Amino acid sequence: MQSVAIRGMGPSKKSTLSEAQERFRSRLTRDGPPIAFVATDGQQAVGTISLIEKEDESDEFGPWIASLFVPETFRGRGIARSLLEVAENHSVRLQISSVWLSASTPEMYAAAGCKTTELTKNGEQVMVKALR
């Protein structure tokens, strides 16, 4: 598996494809956040993850790990874990001390060292990981 950095971020639940594409293009020269990473196997994208300032305007914490996705046919190969490590390492290079996320699968993130909080967001457990 090769990792390729793609600057920008994927569509949010409230975005049209054209709006997401425009945000992506406008952030091509940024070091992030926001920044997205795409895992590839040859020419095929096999997973994505983003690092964003906030998931929504009400967020008091950040930055956030978001949009971690690996297609079902590629799961079980460590791709999600590798993407999470890439986002964490990039955050450390940016001198970010912790990252936040809302998790539909908190067990996976707990295995990666994320700690649960008392917060929830959109019905999902909010977690945090200290990076230093």
Side-chain angles (χ1 to χ4, degrees), residues 53-56 58-65 98-107 109-110 113-130:
E53 288 287 342
K54 295 181 175 190
E55 280 196 326
D56 58 54
S58 67
D59 288 335
E60 296 178 23
F61 312 106
W64 290 76
I65 296 289
S98 61
V99 291
W100 295 78
L101 58 98
S102 56
S104 59
T105 55
E107 307 81 21
Y109 293 102
C114 298
K115 306 294 181 198
T116 59
T117 69
E118 295 181 11
L119 305 171
T120 60
K121 181 182 278 277
N122 301 318
E124 295 181 344
Q125 181 70 51
V126 173
M127 304 180 81
V128 63
K129 182 167 185 183

Side-chain angles (χ1 to χ4, degrees), residues 6 11-12 18 20 28 32 39 45 63 66 86-87 89 91 98 112-113 120-121 125:
I6 306 293
S12 71
S18 62
L28 284 174
V86 166
N89 291 338
S91 297
S98 61
T120 60
K121 181 182 278 277
Q125 181 70 51

